[in-house]
Amino acid sequence: MKNNIVYIVLDDMGFSDLGCYGSEIKTPNIDRLAQNGLSYNNFHVTPLCSPTRASLLTGRNHHSVGMGVLANFDLGPDVPNSRGKIKSSAGTLAEILKENDFSTYAVGKWHLTPIYEETPAGPFDNWPLGKGFERFYGFLDACSDQFTPTLVYDNHNVEPPKKTGYHLSEDLVDHGIKFISDHASIFPDKPFFMNLAFGAQHYPHQVPQSYIDMYKGTYAKGWDQIREERLERQKLLGIVPQDTVLAERNPGVKEWDKLTSDEKRLFERFQETYAGFLTHTDEQIGRFVDFLEAIGQLDNTMIVFLSDNGASQEGEFDGILEPDSYYNGIPTTAEKMFDRIDEIGGPNAHPNYPRGWAQASNTPFKYYKQTTFDGGIHVPLIYHFPNRIKDIGSVRNQFHHVIDITPTVLDLAGISAPKEIKGVKQMPLHGKSMQYTFDNPKVQTIRETQYFLMGAQRAIWHDGWKATSFHTKGTPFEDDRWELYNTIEDFSQSNNLAERFPEKLNELKEIWFVEAEKYDALPIIDKTIELFSYVSPDDRVRNRTEFTYYPNMGYTLAMPSILNRSYKIKVPIDCLSKESKGVLIAHGSPNSGYTMYIQNNRIYYEYNYVGTVYKIESNLEIPVGKSTIRFEFEKTGQFKGKGSLFIDDHHVGEVDMPRTLPFLISMEGLSVGRDAYLPVSKNYADRGDFAFTGNIQKIEFILQND
């Protein structure tokens, strides 16, 4: 019988967060995988989730396969390295294994589908089932609420579970176990591949209160001391060399001792929640591993555990409760958040911790996710495979990259990468099998070079040396500041040798351009969060000015782009009685978005600007019978305007909107005739989806190109 393959992927988890990598956070089940397998301390990924996942599943560099940045961004045919989807010439491991008589399953986060294809009508070519997986249960986009997730089962959306005590991580493992249980019961001699990708540890950090309480007081000592203690444990564990020093504190991160008492308590709560969230995730991984053992498949299964990138900087310096503030460049402060401290970890906030804790997660490195410094790209990797790995509990230090994992799987399975898949010629694999490291801890790495690029931040590793650039948006790339490190002698990359060895730095910069051209990484894209507002010329869904939605349409993430433009929303309805009520249309969440609903015989419009709500209540009652509701937004300046509400042709209210969202309305989608997931308005938050009890003929969006 062939061996089974399981990828377990965590999200936004730093190098030092696991107990077996030096953390005080309790992760006994993942630690058990390390104790009975191999841990790698020189493993690298890309600085963002979609690119890492594309490389993991294809064994190729992310620009080459079309995932230069996030799947949210299709930059059009002129930028073929950033189309938000994996090219058909880069077949996934699932496609390869499926052709070799494996069953293939995906559970959890996907984030490899362009936004304009995340619709209930497809197309489904870039959903998991279109990329070689036979079953899927999870979510398509970057993240999801842990208590009220936006779920997809195979090729269709499903309602969020309503049961008390629900948590997404538990649900994902329940379905992972179900898929494998069905498989083992019906095809016991057939191998399987499962991609189990948690929403954890990405924001929102949400977990039952008991897990937060587990870490009460643990972080009162602050991030400076936690970093020092983690480094000492890493040395004891052999995860880092004995002469490793801590990288300098990141710019903008305050010394813990200089924080106010309120800042300290708030920041402690953020980290208590993150730690509890990880312990909870570890328990779910333990359930899955125990199940494999119970059905006699653990020894016969290669488990590959990793994080998709380093810890997140998206919590800014004070932490955030609403991620849409970060994506729209809206600053937050600890002072404003302190009154909501008890909401952190619960259903009413979508928190992400401050950057001081992110750097602690990335101990001993500097910087974070999105950067090409090691804080963004240097993560844990564990191989657990009892039938093959005998030197268990040891650490490997060979340099490797995420593109090397799929070639390792194929090597172990004795499967050659196909020349064609479904009639499409395949590009060669870029990675190299890591199986040579399993038996010999001291063998030299067979990797020579690896480039990195994300948001115009560049890096190159070559023969033990690493050069990394700092780019300031809007400045010439020639003005980028480069740093140079000898990674063999300086594990944490704390000793910048750029001035001492300028010739070596120039050599590496030249190699970067050679590699970037070789793997289609050019041109360099000098944009980041503003790409959320970009609509690709190939976007057949959003690249219109008129949209018509009908009742019973499913939840969608492909919505009209109302950003920074005038528009109208028209809704012909039929109120069957004076008791008719409910949501006509809703897009967003309690954090940000807009909604139109009927309550108390009045029509309401609300626009939530990350906590600031612009609201209209009609000064006339809704008539019984047929009428047309209309909302008009008139743009009066950059990201501002006036909203007006009409019943038929009667003007029934207006509101000034001095600030509207510039880049992203919400990470949540659009619902017709109800508010399907997280309620946009507090006015009906206790009424479930608050479905409209009358009839909606249609909903029309008419957009202007101001």
Side-chain angles (χ1 to χ4, degrees):
M1 176 180 175
K2 294 179 180 177
N3 299 306
N4 309 308
I5 308 297
V6 173
Y7 288 173
I8 301 178
V9 186
L10 265 58
D11 202 333
D12 289 8
M13 188 194 71
F15 181 76
S16 74
D17 277 338
L18 302 174
C20 53
Y21 276 74
S23 180
E24 71 292 334
I25 299 174
K26 300 177 180 65
T27 57
N29 295 290
I30 301 171
D31 296 350
R32 179 161 60 105
L33 295 179
Q35 291 159 5
N36 293 288
L38 294 175
S39 302
Y40 287 74
N41 73 353
N42 203 3
F43 175 73
H44 301 76
V45 289
T46 82
L48 278 177
C49 44
S50 299
T52 290
R53 292 160 197 271
S55 291
L56 173 65
L57 289 176
T58 66
R60 299 155 173 116
N61 283 301
H62 62 107
H63 290 96
S64 301
V65 306
M67 198 67 69
V69 281
L70 295 177
N72 306 69
F73 312 142
D74 178 355
L75 303 188
D78 292 338
V79 191
N81 65 23
S82 299
R83 301 306 310 273
K85 53 192 171 187
I86 296 173
K87 295 177 181 178
S88 57
S89 58
T92 68
L93 179 63
E95 291 176 292
I96 297 171
L97 294 180
K98 186 178 176 182
E99 290 190 354
N100 285 272
D101 201 34
F102 278 70
S103 294
T104 56
Y105 308 105
V107 174
K109 175 172 173 174
W110 180 243
H111 207 195
L112 295 170
T113 303
I115 284 291
Y116 56 85
E117 294 185 4
E118 293 189 31
T119 83
F124 302 106
D125 302 24
N126 293 297
W127 289 37
L129 269 61
K131 288 296 180 181
F133 291 98
E134 296 169 301
R135 302 301 310 274
F136 172 67
Y137 182 85
F139 56 98
L140 292 180
D141 208 52
C143 57
S144 188
D145 190 275
Q146 296 291 311
F147 300 125
T148 310
T150 53
L151 291 169
V152 167
Y153 208 139
D154 294 337
N155 274 354
H156 64 278
N157 291 100
V158 293
E159 295 293 307
K162 305 293 186 183
K163 65 180 181 180
T164 302
Y166 173 88
H167 194 280
L168 176 60
S169 296
E170 299 172 16
D171 190 20
L172 296 178
V173 169
D174 287 347
H175 279 81
I177 289 173
K178 182 181 187 307
F179 287 167
I180 302 305
S181 182
D182 290 345
H183 169 92
S185 300
I186 306 302
F187 297 111
D189 296 326
K190 187 178 180 182
F192 63 83
F193 167 48
M194 170 163 283
N195 189 62
L196 175 56
F198 287 88
Q201 295 297 112
H202 198 290
Y203 74 78
H205 300 158
Q206 296 171 311
V207 72
Q209 184 66 40
S210 60
Y211 290 87
I212 301 172
D213 294 341
M214 188 183 300
Y215 290 95
K216 196 79 170 177
T218 301
Y219 297 104
K221 62 186 66 172
W223 47 58
D224 295 318
Q225 188 171 337
I226 289 292
R227 288 181 72 212
E228 293 174 358
E229 291 177 358
R230 288 193 180 187
L231 177 60
E232 290 308 307
R233 281 193 292 270
Q234 288 175 330
K235 291 179 180 179
L236 289 172
L237 292 166
I239 287 294
V240 304
Q242 294 302 306
D243 59 356
T244 301
V245 299
L246 278 178
E248 61 188 354
R249 188 186 299 109
N250 292 336
V253 174
K254 296 179 183 178
E255 293 181 41
W256 184 263
D257 290 342
K258 293 183 178 180
L259 299 174
T260 67
S261 58
D262 283 355
E263 286 175 325
K264 287 180 179 178
R265 183 65 203 106
L266 176 67
F267 297 170
E268 285 177 54
R269 175 60 179 244
F270 276 115
Q271 181 64 5
E272 290 164 3
T273 301
Y274 177 83
F277 192 22
L278 181 53
T279 293
H280 179 264
T281 306
D282 177 81
E283 288 186 5
Q284 310 321 310
I285 292 171
R287 285 202 301 124
F288 184 78
V289 172
D290 288 346
F291 169 74
L292 292 180
E293 188 169 31
I295 64 171
Q297 290 297 320
L298 183 60
D299 288 353
N300 193 45
T301 300
M302 184 170 83
I303 298 174
V304 186
F305 173 93
L306 70 152
S307 176
D308 66 351
N309 46 244
S312 169
Q313 63 174 315
E314 292 149 10
E316 301 286 5
F317 292 108
D318 287 351
I320 58 171
L321 299 180
E322 324 296 358
D324 296 316
S325 61
Y326 172 81
Y327 290 120
N328 285 289
I330 301 168
T332 59
T333 64
E335 184 179 8
K336 291 182 179 179
M337 289 183 286
F338 188 79
D339 290 343
R340 296 180 61 190
I341 187 171
D342 291 336
E343 295 181 26
I344 296 172
N348 296 321
H350 281 175
N352 198 0
Y353 53 23
R355 290 183 181 178
W357 290 123
Q359 186 172 13
S361 286
N362 295 330
T363 301
F365 309 116
K366 60 184 177 182
Y367 294 108
Y368 326 92
K369 168 188 175 182
Q370 299 186 25
T371 78
T372 54
F373 285 86
D374 271 35
I377 60 175
H378 200 143
V379 298
L381 171 70
I382 299 168
Y383 279 107
H384 181 276
F385 192 7
N387 279 359
R388 171 64 182 83
I389 295 171
K390 304 306 177 187
D391 186 23
I392 62 172
S394 59
V395 177
R396 296 293 187 264
N397 59 17
Q398 294 83 8
F399 178 97
H400 275 284
H401 188 266
V402 65
I403 61 175
D404 299 326
I405 292 179
T406 283
T408 306
V409 169
L410 296 178
D411 183 23
L412 286 162
I415 297 172
S416 298
K419 302 295 184 182
E420 288 188 0
I421 294 179
K422 298 176 183 176
V424 178
K425 183 179 178 181
Q426 297 293 291
M427 67 177 73
L429 299 181
H430 300 154
K432 298 179 181 294
S433 172
M434 301 172 66
Q435 186 175 186
Y436 75 98
T437 67
F438 287 6
D439 301 316
N440 186 350
K442 298 185 182 301
V443 65
Q444 293 295 310
T445 182
I446 60 175
R447 293 299 303 270
E448 295 180 355
T449 308
Q450 181 61 46
Y451 84 96
F452 301 89
L453 171 65
M454 189 60 61
Q457 310 298 328
R458 293 176 279 170
I460 184 76
W461 180 91
H462 178 72
D463 196 24
W465 289 84
K466 185 184 176 191
T468 309
S469 78
F470 252 121
H471 176 75
T472 301
K473 191 182 297 185
T475 63
F477 298 123
E478 296 78 17
D479 295 344
D480 289 358
R481 176 169 61 86
W482 286 80
E483 298 182 2
L484 176 69
Y485 298 99
N486 183 332
T487 65
I488 297 174
E489 299 178 358
D490 178 15
F491 185 83
S492 63
Q493 295 163 43
S494 301
N495 184 19
N496 180 11
L497 302 173
E499 292 186 4
R500 186 176 173 187
F501 299 112
E503 291 182 358
K504 173 59 74 173
L505 177 58
N506 287 332
E507 174 193 342
L508 290 178
K509 288 161 72 173
E510 290 177 5
I511 293 173
W512 186 90
F513 277 103
V514 171
E515 295 295 297
E517 186 171 2
K518 178 180 178 181
Y519 294 112
D520 303 315
L522 301 175
I524 303 173
I525 306 300
D526 186 18
K527 291 181 173 62
T528 52
I529 59 173
E530 64 268 36
L531 290 173
F532 278 106
S533 63
Y534 176 76
V535 178
S536 168
D538 283 2
D539 186 338
R540 295 174 55 192
V541 177
R542 297 183 299 162
N543 213 353
R544 310 197 305 263
T545 56
E546 295 187 8
F547 299 77
T548 302
Y549 297 126
Y550 295 98
N552 302 315
M553 186 193 81
Y555 177 87
T556 180
L557 285 168
M559 298 148 290
S561 178
I562 63 172
L563 300 168
N564 199 32
R565 70 200 309 176
S566 299
Y567 60 92
K568 298 177 184 179
I569 305 175
K570 295 172 63 177
V571 190
I573 62 171
D574 185 358
C575 285
L576 305 179
S577 71
K578 279 187 170 291
E579 282 69 47
S580 292
K581 58 189 174 184
V583 171
L584 305 181
I585 189 167
H587 171 199
S589 71
N591 305 329
S592 64
Y594 58 89
T595 180
M596 195 183 302
Y597 60 96
I598 294 173
Q599 196 172 50
N600 303 322
N601 296 323
R602 307 278 175 168
I603 180 72
Y604 293 83
Y605 172 84
E606 293 183 27
Y607 183 101
N608 186 338
Y609 177 86
V610 194
T612 299
V613 178
Y614 308 127
K615 182 178 178 181
I616 306 174
E617 176 185 348
S618 67
N619 56 28
L620 294 178
E621 291 189 353
I622 294 289
V624 174
K626 294 182 179 180
S627 61
T628 297
I629 309 303
R630 186 169 82 254
F631 172 78
E632 295 186 0
F633 177 78
E634 178 187 359
K635 177 184 171 183
T636 60
Q638 186 80 342
F639 305 121
K640 65 180 181 179
K642 181 178 72 173
S644 299
L645 195 59
F646 298 84
I647 301 176
D648 293 324
D649 290 326
H650 301 289
H651 184 272
V652 295
E654 66 181 36
V655 64
D656 286 328
M657 301 168 66
R659 295 178 295 177
T660 62
L661 297 161
F663 303 132
L664 183 69
I665 295 294
S666 175
M667 296 294 284
E668 302 291 332
L670 181 144
S671 303
V672 172
R674 62 181 186 140
D675 197 340
Y677 292 94
L678 297 173
V680 176
S681 173
K682 293 180 180 178
N683 280 359
Y684 56 77
D686 60 347
R687 301 193 181 193
D689 64 2
F690 199 35
F692 182 50
T693 57
N695 295 320
I696 297 173
Q697 178 185 340
K698 59 185 175 180
I699 293 178
E700 295 179 287
F701 280 78
I702 303 169
L703 313 181
Q704 294 183 18
N705 292 319
D706 296 306

